[in-house]
């Protein structure tokens, strides 16, 4: 007989409360004694005693592995007993059926590190994450399937078959680490904020919750039966995303503590009240003001939540960095907004792992709920959240902040003198072999996930001999394009500004190049379903579709070789755009109409790779000042550091000390819009996240 929802939920809880569990080779610690985590009426119980969840979120993918323990120690020192982390599917399954749990992607190692630091874990397994992360954590290859514009986050097998394959593989890494098997995972989250997605979806409402029920069943079949399963949503969306018989928490921001907890209590009466995301900060968009939040309001919220409720998860305790191309984007009021590289978030622990005034203020509140046992004895299994594991620390008579571990020293910070990027090579001389296509297609159709893509078309004759411009239209451009005619920059088009058209004129045959940047896939709302990147539909000129394209995928997974002859860095004279494009003399004779690129200053420096080497006698974290650069991406010693853009507000990039070397280091920059032939960067002691911006339509401080 197929069990009812209530029966399944009871089974899940029962597994988490069994006093003895069979040991196996998969268990994280063969000698771990059993622990129990249960719901007892309106509160949680850990090992039979009332337990309040004091959690903070941090994402292992946003922190260098070398710093995992340091960040976790900081969580403990702020008074947290638990940490939460998302699992980003896209970093673990970069291509279908090929999984990566190595290095920084070793989620099991992160969970075990939390266990070693005496912390419990909330595993936010997805498959959807949001998190201002690229495509909400979904792998881009999903979008190659033509069914995905309607299938994403539905019961359609096009989506659910790869989901189940992924969850089954994730379970191999993490299911043995549930509390029911001697591990630290108390809660495993199923999906994420599905209620808001369902509420906005154009599909008819589903009162049977078939999608979420199916998702829950996938988790149970995969082996997530040794921890409490939960879902999370905003207060108004709880009925859309919650499933009967599965525990639910509520997410909200500043000043909403009473109203949102009231909604949770009404939706799920006589159960523990858990704030599964409390937002003490916010994230930044390129070109908009740096976000801050009033601390006094946060302290009021925190005190109320902890007094009334049974648990909290600070989103974020430590934001970290969306390294490489992993920052996300939003779709608000029919407008596209791309996120900056930093995920500092205004969190208590800043991007580089340093305690802030917010950390110290929060610590005072969390200390009220700290538990000091009567002795320091530890067991051989999962550390109890109250155990400090600090040598010589006697907690037998301490209370309040004295009960907490001392705040560790943060990582060292260094400065780096100005580095001139003396080596350079233009993009045009580093193109891969082209792929022929009758029509322009998005990058996913070429098995490309991130980076840039170049579309090239030969215009066979003059465009408008009567000197009247003809309109070039790029239908559904995603996201930022530079348009070149015969190697000369004609214009840029930016999805953020809803730009898709350009008047052009040539006096003869010409080469049309459209270089498109994937600025980040939307990570929230049903708009995600249309997030293919590049030219996603068609290109027309004077109303006629252009066909016969040469397409160059540029994922930036392999950086170019820098010939010694390029070392002078004088690109504008050595590699003018027209000559670098390899055009014939006849093609070069084609010209733009006067004034076509006047708004851009008729840039003469093409998209360019730069490189330099610098020497360090000691290493440490630094903040790379990129104000002399235009728009692009940066790598140090092969590590993808992230995107930069001179429209602000972020003007430095965080470079972790473990990624630097004593001795010679290499920096590589790709700049779409170079502002100088020999730009410079330097390492600062403090970040610049609040640089000037032009668009101030979004308030910087939202109460």
């Amino acid at each position: 007989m197929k069990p009812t929802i209530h029966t399944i939920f009871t089974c899940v809880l029962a597994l988490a409360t069994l006093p003895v569990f069979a040991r196996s080779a998969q268990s994280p610690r063969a000698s771990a004694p059993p622990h129990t985590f249960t719901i007892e009426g309106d509160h949680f119980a850990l090992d039979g005693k009332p337990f309040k969840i004091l959690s903070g979120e941090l994402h292992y993918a946003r922190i260098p592995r070398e710093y995992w323990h340091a960040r976790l120690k900081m969580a403990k020192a702020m008074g947290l007993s638990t940490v939460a982390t998302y699992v980003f599917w896209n970093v673990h399954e970069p291509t279908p059926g090929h999984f990566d749990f190595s290095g920084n992607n070793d989620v099991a190692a992160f969970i075990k590190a939390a266990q070693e630091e005496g912390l419990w874990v909330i595993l936010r397994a997805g498959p959807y994450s949001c998190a201002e992360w690229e495509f909400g954590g979904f792998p881009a290859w999903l979008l190659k399937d033509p069914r995905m514009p309607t299938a994403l986050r539905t019961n359609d097998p096009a989506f659910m078959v790869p989901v189940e394959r992924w969850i089954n593989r994730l379970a191999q890494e993490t299911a043995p680490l549930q509390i029911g098997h001697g591990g630290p995972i108390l809660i495993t989250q199923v999906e994420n904020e599905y209620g808001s997605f369902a509420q906005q979806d154009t599909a008819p409402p589903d009162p049977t919750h078939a999608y979420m029920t199916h998702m829950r069943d996938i988790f149970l079949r995969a082996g997530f039966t040794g921890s409490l399963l939960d879902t999370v949503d905003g207060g108004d969306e709880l009925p859309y995303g919650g499933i009967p018989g599965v525990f639910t928490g509520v997410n909200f921001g500043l000043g909403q503590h009473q109203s949102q907890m009231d909604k949770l209590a009404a939706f799920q009466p006589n159960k523990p009240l858990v704030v599964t995301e409390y937002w003490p900060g916010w994230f930044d968009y390129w070109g908009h003001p740096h976000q801050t939040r009033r601390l006094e309001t946060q302290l009021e919220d925190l005190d109320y939540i902890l007094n009334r409720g049974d648990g909290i998860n600070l989103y974020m305790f430590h934001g970290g960095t969306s390294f490489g191309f992993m920052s996300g984007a939003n779709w608000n009021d029919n407008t596209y907004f791309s996120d900056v590289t930093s995920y500092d978030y205004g969190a208590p622990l800043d991007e580089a792992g340093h305690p802030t005034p917010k950390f110290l203020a929060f610590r005072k509140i969390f200390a009220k709920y700290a538990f000091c046992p009567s002795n320091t004895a530890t067991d051989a299994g999962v550390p109890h959240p109250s155990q400090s594991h600090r040598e010589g620390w006697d907690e037998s008579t301490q209370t309040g902040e004295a009960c907490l571990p001392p705040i560790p020293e943060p990582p060292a910070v260094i400065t780096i003198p100005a580095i001139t990027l003396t080596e350079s090579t233009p993009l045009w001389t580093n193109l891969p072999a082209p792929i022929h296509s009758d029509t322009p297609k998005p990058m996913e159709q070429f098995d490309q996930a991130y980076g840039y893509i170049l579309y090239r078309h030969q215009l066979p004759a003059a465009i408008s001999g009567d000197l009247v411009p003809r309109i070039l239209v790029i239908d559904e451009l995603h996201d930022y394009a530079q348009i070149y005619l015969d190697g000369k920059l004609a214009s840029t088009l930016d999805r953020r500004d809803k730009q898709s058209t350009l008047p052009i004129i040539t006096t003869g045959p010409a080469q049309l190049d459209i270089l498109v940047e994937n600025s980040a896939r939307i990570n929230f709302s049903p708009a995600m379903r249309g997030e293919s990147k590049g030219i996603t539909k068609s290109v027309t000129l004077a109303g006629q579709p252009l066909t016969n394209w040469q397409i160059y995928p540029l994922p930036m997974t392999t950086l170019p070789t820098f010939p010694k002859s390029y070392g002078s860095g004088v690109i504008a004279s050595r590699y003018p755009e027209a000559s670098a494009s390899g055009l014939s003399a006849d093609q070069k004779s084609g010209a733009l109409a006067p004034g076509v690129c006047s708004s851009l200053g008729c840039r003469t420096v093409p998209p360019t790779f730069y490189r330099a080497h610098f020497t360090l006698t000691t290493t440490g974290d630094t903040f790379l000042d990129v104000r002399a650069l235009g728009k692009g991406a940066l790598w140090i010693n092969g590590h993808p550091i992230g995107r930069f853009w001179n429209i602000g507000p972020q003007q430095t990039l965080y470079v972790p000390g473990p990624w630097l070397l004593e001795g010679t280091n290499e920096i590589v920059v790709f700049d779409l819009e170079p502002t100088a032939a020999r730009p410079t960067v330097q390492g600062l002691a403090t970040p610049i996240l609040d640089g000037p911006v032009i668009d101030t339509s979004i308030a910087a401080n939202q109460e």
Side-chain angles (χ1 to χ4, degrees):
M1 183 182 85
K2 184 176 180 181
T4 64
I5 292 173
H6 173 75
T7 303
I8 291 173
F9 182 58
T10 303
C11 291
V12 172
L13 285 182
L15 282 168
T17 59
L18 290 174
V20 179
F21 292 90
R23 307 277 189 248
S24 73
Q26 291 182 314
S27 296
R29 292 187 178 192
S31 58
H35 289 274
T36 61
F37 180 67
T38 58
I39 293 176
E40 304 291 342
D42 62 357
H43 66 274
F44 294 115
L46 181 66
D47 294 335
K49 298 178 181 179
F51 179 73
K52 191 183 293 282
I53 297 172
L54 307 179
S55 177
E57 186 129 351
L58 68 170
H59 303 146
Y60 59 94
R62 283 179 158 131
I63 306 166
R65 180 170 181 159
E66 296 88 343
Y67 280 155
W68 286 351
H69 277 278
R71 304 298 195 258
L72 294 165
K73 289 179 190 297
M74 285 288 187
K76 189 80 173 176
M78 202 180 79
L80 302 180
S81 65
T82 308
V83 292
T85 187
Y86 276 126
V87 180
F88 299 127
W89 181 7
N90 64 331
V91 303
H92 292 290
E93 193 178 359
T95 58
H98 296 88
F99 298 95
D100 182 3
F101 290 95
S102 64
N104 230 82
N105 297 335
D106 192 343
V107 58
F110 177 79
I111 294 168
K112 291 173 185 176
Q115 182 178 17
E116 291 163 7
E117 296 300 336
L119 293 160
W120 303 103
V121 173
I122 298 171
L123 185 68
R124 308 188 71 182
Y128 166 69
S129 298
C130 188
E132 292 69 61
W133 188 265
E134 223 282 336
F135 202 24
F138 287 140
W141 49 259
L142 287 172
L143 295 168
K144 188 176 182 179
D145 189 327
R147 298 171 292 177
M148 209 51 64
T150 57
L152 192 76
R153 297 183 83 184
T154 74
N155 246 341
D156 192 315
F159 179 65
M160 294 302 267
V161 168
V163 162
E164 185 156 16
R165 180 183 66 209
W166 157 239
I167 296 300
N168 285 338
R169 182 63 185 86
L170 176 62
Q172 293 177 32
E173 301 291 323
T174 59
L177 297 169
Q178 297 171 98
I179 186 172
H181 305 303
I185 299 174
L186 297 177
I187 298 172
T188 300
Q189 183 180 307
V190 179
E191 241 276 1
N192 182 55
E193 297 180 325
Y194 180 71
S196 62
F197 187 91
Q199 193 179 41
Q200 299 176 54
D201 199 354
T202 55
D206 179 13
T208 67
H209 300 281
Y211 168 72
M212 284 297 291
T213 301
H214 187 183
M215 192 67 74
R216 176 207 62 197
D217 291 347
I218 286 174
F219 274 73
L220 292 174
R221 286 195 298 267
F224 288 105
T225 55
S227 57
L228 176 69
L229 297 185
D230 82 340
T231 65
V232 306
D233 271 300
D236 292 332
E237 293 81 39
L238 290 169
Y240 297 89
I243 350 173
V246 174
F247 186 77
T248 298
V250 69
N251 299 349
F252 58 84
L254 268 67
Q256 300 177 295
H257 50 255
Q258 182 171 348
S259 63
Q260 295 297 306
M261 293 181 78
D262 285 349
K263 290 174 182 177
L264 177 61
F267 177 77
Q268 185 175 253
N270 305 315
K271 289 287 190 293
L273 291 176
V274 179
V275 178
T276 39
E277 285 188 16
Y278 172 70
W279 311 320
W282 206 242
F283 52 92
D284 291 342
Y285 297 132
W286 288 116
H288 294 271
H290 174 60
Q291 295 293 295
T292 61
R293 295 292 186 269
R294 182 176 177 267
L295 179 58
E296 290 76 12
T297 303
Q298 297 171 51
L299 298 180
E300 294 167 8
D301 289 341
L302 196 59
D303 207 39
Y304 181 94
I305 292 167
L306 291 173
N307 268 304
R308 179 182 178 185
D310 300 278
I312 188 173
N313 178 44
L314 295 175
Y315 188 95
M316 302 289 294
F317 159 70
H318 169 60
T321 308
S322 301
F323 293 111
F325 296 121
M326 290 300 108
S327 56
N330 262 358
W331 184 255
N332 295 330
D333 298 326
N334 204 35
T335 302
Y336 174 82
F337 297 86
S338 54
D339 303 335
V340 302
T341 297
S342 171
Y343 202 57
D344 180 88
Y345 207 85
L349 196 68
D350 73 12
E351 182 179 13
H354 294 245
T356 65
K358 185 180 297 187
F359 180 104
L360 300 177
F362 280 19
R363 188 175 194 259
K364 292 181 184 298
I365 293 179
F366 280 114
K368 298 177 186 178
Y369 302 90
F371 171 69
C372 293
S374 59
N375 61 74
T376 59
T378 64
D379 57 35
V382 181
H384 193 280
S386 64
Q387 294 168 354
S388 70
H389 295 280
R390 290 182 177 274
E391 185 177 355
W393 180 45
D394 180 7
E395 51 185 52
S396 58
T397 60
Q398 299 174 27
T399 59
E401 283 192 85
C403 183
L404 302 180
I407 300 172
E409 283 296 316
V413 175
I414 63 169
T415 59
I416 301 175
I419 304 163
T420 302
L421 302 172
T422 55
E423 299 177 77
S424 56
T425 179
L427 173 65
W428 308 131
T429 61
N430 289 278
L431 297 177
I435 300 169
H436 178 266
S437 179
D438 286 339
T439 58
K441 296 177 181 178
M443 62 173 57
E444 295 84 0
Q445 298 305 312
F446 305 104
D447 298 317
Q448 179 184 352
Y450 316 114
Y452 310 82
I453 187 166
L454 173 66
Y455 301 86
R456 177 167 287 175
H457 174 81
Q458 303 298 333
L459 298 170
I463 304 300
S464 183
D466 57 7
L467 298 182
V468 177
R470 298 296 186 259
I471 303 301
L472 181 77
V473 179
I474 303 177
D475 190 10
E476 291 296 329
L477 168 67
H478 293 177
D479 300 297
Y480 185 90
Q482 293 180 325
I483 293 87
Y484 295 84
L485 286 168
D486 287 344
K488 295 179 183 287
L489 182 62
S491 188
T492 61
L493 299 177
D494 190 342
R495 182 186 183 189
R496 299 176 316 131
D497 297 324
K498 300 181 174 65
Q499 297 171 341
S500 61
T501 64
L502 170 68
I504 64 171
I505 295 177
T506 68
T507 57
Q511 178 170 285
L512 170 66
D513 283 328
I514 305 174
L515 177 59
V516 183
E517 175 196 67
N518 168 3
S519 301
R521 291 181 181 85
I522 291 170
N523 56 258
F524 184 76
S525 83
M528 297 173 66
R529 290 174 172 163
E531 274 305 274
S532 293
K533 292 301 181 181
I535 298 175
T536 65
K537 291 191 176 178
S538 65
V539 178
T540 61
L541 182 60
Q544 298 300 310
L546 297 183
T547 59
N548 192 18
W549 293 85
Q550 299 295 313
I551 300 176
Y552 301 80
L554 302 165
M556 299 295 170
T557 52
T558 302
L559 299 178
T561 300
F562 288 79
K564 292 182 180 179
S565 60
Y566 293 175
S568 69
V570 186
I571 308 167
S573 60
R574 187 183 295 269
Y575 295 105
E577 289 176 294
S579 64
S581 64
L583 304 176
S584 67
D586 289 340
Q587 288 172 318
K588 292 175 189 176
S589 67
L592 296 175
V596 166
C597 65
S598 60
S599 63
L600 303 172
C602 296
R603 295 190 187 108
T604 59
V605 182
T608 299
F609 292 96
Y610 297 91
R611 185 175 70 174
H613 294 87
F614 59 98
T615 301
L616 297 176
T617 57
T618 186
T619 61
D621 295 350
T622 195
F623 303 92
L624 203 66
D625 185 346
V626 293
R627 283 177 287 185
L629 304 179
K631 176 178 176 59
L634 186 149
W635 296 258
I636 287 186
N637 295 329
H639 293 280
I641 302 301
R643 297 180 173 103
F644 57 84
W645 197 357
N646 58 11
I647 65 172
Q650 182 176 0
Q651 296 182 328
T652 56
L653 291 174
Y654 169 62
V655 180
W659 294 358
L660 295 170
L661 306 172
E662 291 186 4
T664 302
N665 294 262
E666 179 188 67
I667 178 172
V668 175
V669 171
F670 176 66
D671 199 338
L672 277 175
E673 300 174 353
T675 57
R678 296 173 62 131
T680 61
V681 295
Q682 61 179 322
L684 306 182
T686 55
I688 305 174
L689 301 178
D690 58 352
V693 296
I694 296 175
D695 190 336
T696 58
S697 59
I698 299 176
N701 189 339
Q702 299 183 11
E703 299 296 316

